[in-house]
Amino acid sequence: MKRWNGWGNVAMDYPVPPTAEAYLVDFLGRLDPRPDATFESVIESVPSSRLPAHPLVDVSAGTRLTHARGQSTPDWVALRSGRIPVFPDGVAFPRSEEQVRELLEFAKRIGVKVIPYGGGSSVVGHINPLVSDAPVLTLSLEKMTRLLALDEIGQTAVFEAGVTGPELEHSLASHGYTLGHFPQSHEYSTLGGWIATRSSGQQSYYYGRIEPLFAGGHMETPRGPIELPHFPASAAGPDVKEMVLGSEGRMGVISSARVRISHTPDAQDFYGVFFPSWEQGVEAVRQIAQERVPVSLLRLSSPQETETTLILSGKPWIGLAERGLRMIGFGNTRCLLIFGATGTAAHVRRTRAMAAAICRRQSGLFVGTVVGHTWEKSRFYSPYLRNTLWARGVVVDTLETALPWSQVLEASRTIPASIATAMDGLDEKVLAFAHLSHVYRDGASVYTTFLFRRPADPDELLVRWQAMKQTASRKIQDLGGTITHQHGVGIDHAPYLPAEKGPLGMDAIRAVCSSFDPDGMMNPGKLF
Ligand SMILES: Cc1cc2nc3c(=O)[nH]c(=O)nc-3n(C[C@H](O)[C@H](O)[C@H](O)COP(=O)(O)OP(=O)(O)OC[C@H]3O[C@@H](n4cnc5c(N)ncnc54)[C@H](O)[C@@H]3O)c2cc1C
C-alpha cells in the first residue's frame, strides 16, 4: 500500500544508519523530531464534496485525502501537519478512453475543474487543487494500465497512460523488450505523467528522455478527442505531439501513448571512478559526452555529495575505502562518478574501456563494479530515506537545472552555496551539495540536494523552504539555466517561467492550451 503522507510503499523502510545520524547532528545541530498528524485526524478535516453523484466518481474522504497532494516539500508539510487547505471534491477512476471523455463532458456541463492524475509523484505542486469557487475533480488514470498494441517490426508499443514504470516494464519484458525510462520515481510515476512533465530517466543518455520515446497517442480534451499519429519522422509543420509534451494536464487527458521500445539488453553494468577533484571529474564526463562514448548512465557527485552519500549508505566497507583513498592522495576534494554501459556483452566491454580511458586521462581511479552495484541496488530505494530522515527531524529536498558547459562548474558551486546563505540570518546550517545527473554534448544537468533541520512550526518550515527555493531559483536564472531540467513547472516553478519563455512565448503557450480548453477547466494555476 502507498504511503498517504510520504514516499513509497508502507512496507518499505530505509532506516537512517547511526553513523549517518551522528554526521547530520554534527553538521546541522541537535535534531528535534516531532510527531506528524495521523490519518484519522486529517481525514476529519475533509469537507463535504460539492460534486453531484456520478457512478465513476469516488467522493469518500479517504480517497480525496490520498489524492490531495504530491511529493514536494510544501506537500509534505501540508500532509504531515494536517493543514491541507483544499481537497479535490471527488476522484474519478475511468477504465477507458470513452469513460475519460464522459467524465470531461460531465465536468464541462456542470462547471468543474479537472486535474489529470498519474502517480501523484510530482515534486512541484502539479496535482494540487487550488482554492476555487468551482468544484474540483481529480481524474486518476490508475485503472488504465493495459498494453494495447505491440509492433515488434517497428519496435513500438501502445499503452494506456496510467501504466506505472514497473507495470510497463513487466509487460514489455515478457516480450523481450524494455522502454528503458527509469526516473527515480519509477515505482509509482506513470507514462502519462512522464509525457505531461517531460520526464528524464536515469539511463536517458542511452534510451533517450521521454520526448524521443513518445511516438504518438490519444488525448481527450474539453473540445473532444485528438489523435497524435505516429510517423518515424515528419516535416509537416509544427508537431502537436511536441505541444502535448510538458502540457501538465492543461490541454486534456493523455489516455494512451505509443512509445519507442528496445530489445532487453544482453548485458549491463555500472562502474565507479574516483577523481581527485571535481574539476577533473567534470572534464572527464564532458569528454565522454563530446567524444560520444555510448555509456548508458553518467552521474558525477561533488566532493560534499560523495562524502554524504557514502555515509548515508551506511555500508560497512565505506570506512576502509575512505582510508584507502586518502592514503593514495584522494583527500577531501575527491568525487565519485558512476557510469553505466548497456547493450551486447561486447558493447559493454568496449564502452567500459573507452570511458575508463578518458577517466584515466583526468587521473580517475577506476574501482570496478562494487560502488556501481551499490548504486544500482538503491536506485529506486534511496527516496525512502526521505521518510526516515523526516521522522528524525531532517527535511530533504532537491532542485535541478541544465546549463551550458561554460556555466556548469560555477553552477555546481554557487547553487548549493546560495541555498545555505538563505538561512544565514537564522544561524541555521544547510547541508547542500550537487551532482551532474545528466550530461549532454553542450552542457549538463546540475542537481542539488539540500538537508536542513525541521523546525517545530510548519509555517516556519514553509518560510524557510521558500527562502531557500527562491534564492536557488534566482541563482539558476542568473546563471542562464532552465528553471527545470526534469521536474516540470507545476506551481513552484510557474513564477520563473516567463523569464525563460519571454512574453510572446508565454502568449503562445496560453493560446495553445486554450485552443484545447477554451474555458480553462483543465488543471488551472499550473504551468502559468
Ligand atoms: C522520489 C522521486 C523521484 C523522482 N525522480 C525523477 C526523475 O528521476 N526524473 C524525473 O523526470 N522526475 C522525477 N520525479 C518527478 C516526478 O516523478 C515526475 O515529474 C513524473 O513524470 C510524474 O509522473 P506522475 O505519473 O507521478 O504524474 P503526476 O504527479 O500524477 O502528475 C504530474 C503532472 O502531469 C499531469 N498528468 C499526469 N498524467 C496525465 C495524463 N495521463 N494526461 C495529462 N496529464 C497528465 C498532471 O495533471 C500533472 O500536471 C521524481 C519524484 C519523486 C517523488
Side-chain angles (χ1 to χ4, degrees):
M1 195 176 62
K2 203 167 157 186
R3 271 192 177 81
W4 71 278
N5 64 352
W7 178 249
N9 192 312
V10 288
M12 291 264 284
D13 237 345
Y14 189 146
V16 184
T19 45
E21 182 152 350
Y23 173 79
L24 291 173
V25 171
D26 199 37
F27 194 99
L28 300 174
R30 200 175 56 80
L31 305 175
D32 182 20
R34 303 281 173 120
D36 296 319
T38 61
F39 187 79
E40 293 67 31
S41 66
V42 182
I43 214 164
E44 293 292 314
S45 65
V46 181
S48 24
S49 169
R50 296 171 291 176
L51 280 173
H54 186 286
L56 294 173
V57 180
D58 181 346
V59 293
S60 67
T63 306
R64 290 166 58 205
L65 167 55
T66 53
H67 291 79
R69 290 293 194 136
Q71 294 291 324
S72 69
T73 294
D75 293 341
W76 274 44
V77 175
L79 290 164
R80 287 176 179 257
S81 66
R83 299 192 201 166
I84 305 171
V86 191
F87 293 87
D89 289 276
V91 186
F93 297 96
R95 290 179 180 273
S96 66
E97 185 173 297
E98 291 72 28
Q99 289 191 344
V100 173
R101 195 174 312 151
E102 181 190 330
L103 283 160
L104 291 188
E105 278 161 11
F106 161 75
K108 197 167 153 182
R109 215 169 37 245
I110 58 170
V112 170
K113 306 291 179 197
V114 176
I115 303 178
Y117 186 102
S121 69
S122 163
V123 283
V124 289
H126 280 121
I127 49 92
N128 302 357
L130 305 178
V131 178
S132 143
D133 290 338
V136 179
L137 174 66
T138 291
L139 194 153
S140 165
L141 280 282
E142 180 187 308
K143 305 248 185 282
M144 293 179 62
T145 61
R146 286 174 304 162
L147 170 63
L148 299 177
L150 178 68
D151 171 5
E152 297 202 50
I153 303 286
Q155 295 200 349
T156 65
V158 182
F159 281 94
E160 288 180 323
V163 67
T164 62
E167 290 166 341
L168 179 146
E169 286 296 337
H170 180 73
S171 298
L172 288 179
S174 57
H175 299 277
Y177 292 96
T178 177
L179 177 63
H181 190 70
F182 301 113
Q184 202 181 36
S185 56
H186 193 245
E187 206 179 336
Y188 288 102
S189 58
T190 64
L191 175 57
W194 301 336
I195 295 165
T197 61
R198 304 186 83 107
S199 132
S200 185
Q202 293 166 338
Q203 285 169 270
S204 288
Y205 196 87
Y206 183 74
Y207 293 105
R209 291 164 59 95
I210 198 64
E211 292 96 325
L213 296 176
F214 176 43
H218 183 96
M219 186 164 76
E220 291 292 332
T221 83
R223 284 188 59 203
I226 174 166
E227 214 50 58
L228 306 165
H230 165 226
F231 305 106
S234 166
D239 188 349
V240 181
K241 219 164 33 21
E242 276 294 329
M243 300 174 189
V244 172
L245 281 159
S247 54
E248 303 198 351
R250 296 239 30 175
M251 293 179 186
V253 180
I254 303 156
S255 53
S256 64
R258 182 180 293 274
V259 284
R260 298 186 170 97
I261 56 177
S262 306
H263 280 297
T264 311
D266 297 337
Q268 168 158 282
D269 227 329
F270 299 98
Y271 310 94
V273 181
F274 282 97
F275 291 93
S277 73
W278 176 240
E279 289 73 12
Q280 284 160 301
V282 172
E283 183 60 19
V285 293
R286 184 176 66 79
Q287 289 182 16
I288 290 173
Q290 292 180 342
E291 292 180 24
R292 301 187 190 218
V293 180
V295 290
S296 58
L297 166 96
L298 280 172
R299 182 196 158 108
L300 178 70
S301 296
S302 69
Q304 179 70 67
E305 179 170 301
T306 301
E307 175 172 297
T308 309
T309 43
L310 290 178
I311 290 171
L312 289 184
S313 79
K315 295 282 174 235
W317 48 264
I318 297 294
L320 201 64
E322 284 274 20
R323 280 196 294 280
L325 282 168
R326 280 183 200 287
M327 273 166 65
I328 56 168
F330 286 64
N332 289 342
T333 58
R334 77 207 173 301
C335 60
L336 174 65
L337 168 68
I338 308 283
F339 78 84
T342 302
T344 62
H347 174 89
V348 167
R349 273 196 307 277
R350 221 174 22 249
T351 304
R352 182 193 57 201
M354 288 161 78
I358 292 177
C359 292
R360 269 195 303 277
R361 296 205 299 250
Q362 297 302 323
S363 309
L365 176 71
F366 183 76
V367 292
T369 52
V370 178
V371 187
H373 287 173
T374 305
W375 172 83
E376 188 184 7
K377 276 202 207 113
S378 65
R379 64 190 294 186
F380 306 126
Y381 178 49
S382 43
Y384 283 85
L385 190 54
R386 191 178 174 201
N387 299 324
T388 38
L389 282 173
W390 176 283
R392 302 304 309 136
V394 177
V395 183
V396 186
D397 202 355
T398 60
L399 48 87
E400 31 81 62
T401 180
L403 317 94
W405 281 116
S406 56
Q407 295 293 75
V408 166
L409 278 178
E410 191 183 342
S412 56
R413 196 172 40 78
T414 57
I415 297 169
S418 71
I419 296 174
T421 55
M423 287 299 97
D424 275 355
L426 292 173
D427 206 20
E428 275 292 323
K429 286 269 197 85
V430 183
L431 181 56
F433 43 79
H435 69 262
L436 304 192
S437 68
H438 296 79
V439 172
Y440 303 92
R441 280 195 293 138
D442 51 344
S445 154
V446 174
Y447 190 102
T448 304
T449 303
F450 55 107
L451 295 87
F452 57 101
R453 291 202 299 182
R454 176 157 67 90
D457 177 5
D459 291 333
E460 176 59 22
L461 200 170
L462 275 184
V463 168
R464 291 184 191 182
W465 174 83
Q466 261 149 6
M468 290 184 260
K469 178 81 178 172
Q470 205 172 69
T471 312
S473 301
R474 287 192 184 137
K475 173 55 77 183
I476 285 171
Q477 294 211 304
D478 289 349
L479 290 162
T482 172
I483 194 61
T484 171
H485 165 264
Q486 61 193 59
H487 287 163
V489 179
I491 304 173
D492 298 344
H493 292 152
Y496 305 95
L497 200 63
E500 191 163 322
K501 305 289 182 193
L504 222 53
M506 289 305 296
D507 277 357
I509 292 170
R510 277 192 212 97
V512 172
C513 290
S514 70
S515 68
F516 291 108
D517 175 29
D519 301 327
M521 70 182 241
M522 300 301 304
N523 210 6
K526 320 301 162 53
L527 194 59
F528 55 83

